[in-house]
Amino acid sequence: EAEVAQSPRYKITEKSQAVAFWCDPISGHATLYWYRQILGQGPELLVQFQDESVVDDSQLPKDRFSAERLKGVDSTLKIQPAELGDSAMYLCASSWWTGDTDTQYFGPGTRLTVL
Amino acid sequence: DAKTTQPNSMESNEEEPVHLPCNHSTISGTDYIHWYRQLPSQGPEYVIHGLTSNVNNRMASLAIAEDRKSSTLILHRATLRDAAVYYCILRRLDQTGANNLFFGTGTRLTVIP
Protein backbone atom coordinates (compact mmCIF):
# COMPACT_ATOMS: atom_id res chain seq x y z
CA GLU A 1 0.00 0.00 0.00
CA ALA A 2 1.34 3.44 -0.95
CA GLU A 3 2.45 5.64 1.93
CA VAL A 4 3.45 9.21 2.58
CA ALA A 5 7.18 9.40 3.24
CA GLN A 6 8.81 11.92 5.55
CA SER A 7 12.38 12.54 6.58
CA PRO A 8 14.07 12.84 8.90
CA ARG A 9 12.00 11.02 11.52
CA TYR A 10 13.75 12.84 14.34
CA LYS A 11 15.64 16.13 14.42
CA ILE A 12 17.41 17.80 17.32
CA THR A 13 18.68 21.31 16.78
CA GLU A 14 19.70 24.34 18.75
CA LYS A 15 17.67 27.51 18.73
CA SER A 16 18.53 29.98 15.97
CA GLN A 17 19.59 27.14 13.65
CA ALA A 18 17.83 26.32 10.39
CA VAL A 19 15.97 23.04 9.92
CA ALA A 20 14.24 21.47 6.95
CA PHE A 21 11.75 18.64 6.63
CA TRP A 22 10.95 16.69 3.49
CA CYS A 23 7.72 15.01 2.42
CA ASP A 24 6.95 12.73 -0.53
CA PRO A 25 3.19 12.29 -0.93
CA ILE A 26 1.36 9.33 -2.36
CA SER A 27 1.73 9.29 -6.13
CA GLY A 28 -1.11 11.09 -7.85
CA HIS A 29 -2.25 13.06 -4.81
CA ALA A 30 -2.53 16.67 -5.89
CA THR A 31 -3.21 18.07 -2.43
CA LEU A 32 -0.48 18.18 0.20
CA TYR A 33 -0.71 19.42 3.78
CA TRP A 34 1.79 20.26 6.49
CA TYR A 35 0.58 20.10 10.10
CA ARG A 36 2.21 20.82 13.42
CA GLN A 37 1.26 18.79 16.47
CA ILE A 38 2.29 19.92 19.93
CA LEU A 39 2.40 17.16 22.53
CA GLY A 40 -1.07 16.50 23.95
CA GLN A 41 -2.89 18.45 21.26
CA GLY A 42 -4.41 17.66 17.89
CA PRO A 43 -2.63 18.52 14.64
CA GLU A 44 -2.93 22.10 13.41
CA LEU A 45 -2.76 22.94 9.72
CA LEU A 46 0.22 25.05 8.70
CA VAL A 47 -0.05 25.06 4.92
CA GLN A 48 -2.00 23.41 2.13
CA PHE A 49 -0.82 22.95 -1.46
CA GLN A 50 -2.85 22.14 -4.52
CA ASP A 51 -0.24 20.89 -6.99
CA GLU A 52 2.52 23.52 -6.70
CA SER A 53 0.27 26.36 -5.53
CA VAL A 54 -0.37 27.39 -1.95
CA VAL A 55 -4.08 27.27 -1.18
CA ASP A 56 -3.97 28.13 2.52
CA ASP A 57 -1.00 29.31 4.58
CA SER A 58 -2.94 31.52 6.97
CA GLN A 59 -1.58 29.68 10.03
CA LEU A 60 2.03 29.52 8.83
CA PRO A 61 4.35 31.84 10.83
CA LYS A 62 5.83 33.39 7.73
CA ASP A 63 8.56 35.30 9.52
CA ARG A 64 10.40 32.05 10.15
CA PHE A 65 8.58 29.25 8.32
CA SER A 66 8.55 28.61 4.59
CA ALA A 67 7.14 25.80 2.50
CA GLU A 68 7.50 24.90 -1.13
CA ARG A 69 6.34 22.25 -3.54
CA LEU A 70 8.18 23.29 -6.69
CA LYS A 71 7.14 20.55 -9.12
CA GLY A 72 3.87 19.72 -7.47
CA VAL A 73 5.19 16.46 -6.09
CA ASP A 74 7.42 16.43 -3.01
CA SER A 75 7.57 19.29 -0.55
CA THR A 76 9.95 20.93 1.91
CA LEU A 77 9.08 22.78 5.09
CA LYS A 78 11.81 25.02 6.52
CA ILE A 79 12.21 26.84 9.79
CA GLN A 80 14.81 29.57 10.10
CA PRO A 81 15.67 30.39 12.81
CA ALA A 82 14.25 27.67 15.04
CA GLU A 83 12.88 28.71 18.43
CA LEU A 84 12.26 26.67 21.57
CA GLY A 85 8.51 26.81 20.97
CA ASP A 86 8.89 25.07 17.62
CA SER A 87 9.49 21.73 19.33
CA ALA A 88 6.67 19.55 18.03
CA MET A 89 5.76 16.78 15.60
CA TYR A 90 5.56 17.97 12.00
CA LEU A 91 3.17 15.88 9.94
CA CYS A 92 2.72 15.75 6.20
CA ALA A 93 -0.45 14.45 4.58
CA SER A 94 -1.70 14.06 1.04
CA SER A 95 -5.15 13.51 -0.28
CA TRP A 96 -7.39 12.94 -3.24
CA TRP A 97 -10.87 14.21 -3.61
CA THR A 98 -14.03 12.17 -4.06
CA GLY A 99 -16.79 14.59 -4.90
CA ASP A 100 -17.07 17.20 -2.14
CA THR A 101 -14.66 15.78 0.40
CA ASP A 102 -11.33 14.00 0.67
CA THR A 103 -9.43 11.39 2.61
CA GLN A 104 -6.08 12.39 3.99
CA TYR A 105 -3.17 10.01 4.35
CA PHE A 106 -0.54 11.00 6.90
CA GLY A 107 3.13 10.27 7.04
CA PRO A 108 4.90 9.14 10.21
CA GLY A 109 5.97 12.69 11.05
CA THR A 110 9.21 14.40 11.99
CA ARG A 111 9.70 15.01 15.68
CA LEU A 112 11.63 18.23 16.19
CA THR A 113 13.35 19.10 19.45
CA VAL A 114 14.82 22.57 19.77
CA LEU A 115 17.37 23.00 22.55
CA ASP B 1 -14.75 27.44 11.97
CA ALA B 2 -17.18 24.67 12.81
CA LYS B 3 -15.85 22.79 15.82
CA THR B 4 -16.54 19.51 17.54
CA THR B 5 -16.77 18.48 21.19
CA GLN B 6 -15.58 15.09 22.36
CA PRO B 7 -14.95 13.53 25.78
CA ASN B 8 -11.29 13.68 26.73
CA SER B 9 -11.05 9.98 27.47
CA MET B 10 -12.98 6.71 27.44
CA GLU B 11 -12.28 3.14 28.47
CA SER B 12 -13.52 -0.10 27.03
CA ASN B 13 -12.99 -3.75 27.73
CA GLU B 14 -11.40 -5.80 25.02
CA GLU B 15 -13.83 -7.46 22.59
CA GLU B 16 -16.70 -5.23 23.66
CA PRO B 17 -18.33 -2.55 21.49
CA VAL B 18 -17.25 1.05 21.91
CA HIS B 19 -19.37 4.09 21.19
CA LEU B 20 -17.37 7.31 20.82
CA PRO B 21 -19.60 10.41 20.82
CA CYS B 22 -19.06 13.72 19.07
CA ASN B 23 -21.11 16.90 19.26
CA HIS B 24 -21.05 19.38 16.39
CA SER B 25 -23.97 21.72 17.01
CA THR B 26 -22.71 24.36 14.54
CA ILE B 27 -22.41 21.98 11.61
CA SER B 28 -23.47 23.37 8.26
CA GLY B 29 -25.21 21.57 5.43
CA THR B 30 -21.98 21.15 3.43
CA ASP B 31 -19.84 19.80 6.28
CA TYR B 32 -18.78 16.19 6.08
CA ILE B 33 -18.13 14.39 9.38
CA HIS B 34 -14.77 12.63 9.37
CA TRP B 35 -13.14 10.43 11.98
CA TYR B 36 -9.43 9.86 12.22
CA ARG B 37 -7.44 8.07 14.85
CA GLN B 38 -3.86 8.39 15.96
CA LEU B 39 -2.01 5.48 17.44
CA PRO B 40 0.94 6.22 19.72
CA SER B 41 3.94 7.65 17.87
CA GLN B 42 2.19 7.53 14.50
CA GLY B 43 0.49 9.99 12.18
CA PRO B 44 -3.31 10.07 12.15
CA GLU B 45 -5.13 7.54 10.00
CA TYR B 46 -8.50 7.81 8.35
CA VAL B 47 -11.31 5.79 9.89
CA ILE B 48 -14.60 6.76 8.28
CA HIS B 49 -16.68 9.69 7.06
CA GLY B 50 -20.29 10.54 6.31
CA LEU B 51 -22.65 13.36 5.43
CA THR B 52 -26.19 12.44 6.45
CA SER B 53 -26.66 8.69 6.39
CA ASN B 54 -25.08 6.10 8.66
CA VAL B 55 -21.96 4.53 7.18
CA ASN B 56 -20.18 1.23 7.65
CA ASN B 57 -16.73 0.10 6.61
CA ARG B 58 -14.29 -2.60 7.65
CA MET B 59 -12.96 -0.52 10.52
CA ALA B 60 -16.05 0.99 12.11
CA SER B 61 -19.57 2.34 11.77
CA LEU B 62 -20.65 5.96 11.87
CA ALA B 63 -24.08 6.85 13.22
CA ILE B 64 -25.22 10.39 12.42
CA ALA B 65 -28.10 12.02 14.26
CA GLU B 66 -31.05 13.09 12.18
CA ASP B 67 -30.36 16.79 12.88
CA ARG B 68 -26.63 16.17 12.24
CA LYS B 69 -25.66 17.96 15.43
CA SER B 70 -24.01 14.84 16.81
CA SER B 71 -22.50 11.59 15.64
CA THR B 72 -21.14 8.39 17.14
CA LEU B 73 -18.22 6.28 16.00
CA ILE B 74 -18.85 2.62 16.75
CA LEU B 75 -16.10 0.05 17.07
CA HIS B 76 -17.92 -3.26 17.11
CA ARG B 77 -15.29 -5.27 19.00
CA ALA B 78 -12.50 -3.30 20.59
CA THR B 79 -9.04 -4.79 20.41
CA LEU B 80 -5.85 -3.65 22.08
CA ARG B 81 -4.76 -2.26 18.73
CA ASP B 82 -7.70 0.15 18.82
CA ALA B 83 -6.17 2.07 21.73
CA ALA B 84 -5.62 5.51 20.22
CA VAL B 85 -6.78 9.11 20.17
CA TYR B 86 -9.91 9.43 18.05
CA TYR B 87 -10.63 12.73 16.34
CA CYS B 88 -14.02 13.85 15.07
CA ILE B 89 -13.55 16.47 12.36
CA LEU B 90 -15.82 18.56 10.19
CA ARG B 91 -14.54 18.91 6.64
CA ARG B 92 -15.66 21.82 4.52
CA LEU B 93 -14.35 23.16 1.22
CA ASP B 94 -14.63 26.93 1.19
CA GLN B 95 -14.68 29.27 -1.79
CA THR B 96 -10.90 29.61 -1.91
CA GLY B 97 -10.40 25.87 -2.15
CA ALA B 98 -8.97 25.70 1.35
CA ASN B 99 -9.99 22.76 3.47
CA ASN B 100 -11.02 24.26 6.77
CA LEU B 101 -9.97 21.64 9.26
CA PHE B 102 -9.98 21.50 13.04
CA PHE B 103 -8.77 18.39 14.82
CA GLY B 104 -9.44 19.41 18.41
CA THR B 105 -7.99 17.31 21.22
CA GLY B 106 -9.91 14.13 20.48
CA THR B 107 -10.90 11.23 22.74
CA ARG B 108 -8.20 9.01 24.13
CA LEU B 109 -9.52 5.44 24.08
CA THR B 110 -8.02 2.95 26.51
CA VAL B 111 -8.75 -0.72 25.87
CA ILE B 112 -8.57 -2.93 28.93
CA PRO B 113 -7.49 -6.54 28.38
Side-chain angles (χ1 to χ4, degrees):
Chain A
E1 184 174 300
E3 296 180 343
V4 175
Q6 289 188 250
S7 67
R9 291 293 307 277
Y10 304 91
K11 178 69 177 179
I12 299 174
T13 190
E14 294 183 345
K15 64 180 181 179
S16 79
Q17 297 297 305
V19 292
F21 314 131
W22 177 80
C23 172
D24 190 13
I26 293 173
S27 177
H29 284 193
T31 310
L32 184 147
Y33 308 82
W34 283 101
Y35 292 87
R36 177 170 60 185
Q37 184 172 26
I38 296 170
L39 193 63
Q41 299 181 18
E44 296 177 318
L45 182 69
L46 291 174
V47 62
Q48 175 194 339
F49 288 93
Q50 182 68 26
D51 298 309
E52 66 276 7
S53 300
V54 173
V55 174
D56 183 1
D57 63 356
S58 57
Q59 301 303 311
L60 188 70
K62 299 182 187 63
D63 57 335
R64 298 185 299 108
F65 286 65
S66 64
E68 61 182 14
R69 192 183 184 199
L70 293 176
K71 297 183 179 179
V73 182
D74 59 339
S75 175
T76 302
L77 178 69
K78 297 179 181 178
I79 308 174
Q80 182 173 13
E83 296 181 354
L84 296 178
D86 296 331
S87 294
M89 175 76 82
Y90 290 83
L91 295 160
C92 178
S94 68
S95 71
W96 56 280
W97 280 80
T98 55
D100 296 326
T101 190
D102 69 339
T103 298
Q104 294 191 14
Y105 295 85
F106 285 80
T110 296
R111 180 163 296 283
L112 173 66
T113 301
V114 182
L115 303 175
Chain B
D1 290 341
K3 296 186 178 180
T4 62
T5 303
Q6 301 177 251
N8 289 331
S9 63
M10 292 184 63
E11 288 186 351
S12 174
N13 292 320
E14 193 176 10
E15 298 188 3
E16 290 188 355
V18 182
H19 290 231
L20 298 166
C22 180
N23 288 319
H24 27 78
S25 58
T26 60
I27 192 170
S28 76
T30 56
D31 285 338
Y32 280 77
I33 302 162
H34 285 241
W35 284 81
Y36 283 75
R37 71 179 186 182
Q38 188 170 22
L39 279 64
S41 301
Q42 296 187 25
E45 66 173 341
Y46 167 81
V47 177
I48 199 167
H49 77 272
L51 183 61
T52 56
S53 303
N54 294 343
V55 184
N56 300 296
N57 67 19
R58 63 177 180 83
M59 291 182 67
S61 296
L62 176 61
I64 301 173
E66 192 169 341
D67 63 4
R68 301 208 326 126
K69 294 185 183 299
S70 65
S71 61
T72 302
L73 178 70
I74 303 167
L75 307 179
H76 297 286
R77 288 182 68 242
T79 70
L80 296 179
R81 293 184 59 189
D82 291 323
V85 178
Y86 287 78
Y87 296 100
C88 171
I89 303 160
L90 299 183
R91 304 281 291 132
R92 177 192 307 168
L93 176 64
D94 72 13
Q95 293 178 351
T96 68
N99 299 319
N100 292 318
L101 181 70
F102 183 72
F103 268 85
T105 55
T107 296
R108 181 174 298 278
L109 175 66
T110 300
V111 180
I112 302 168

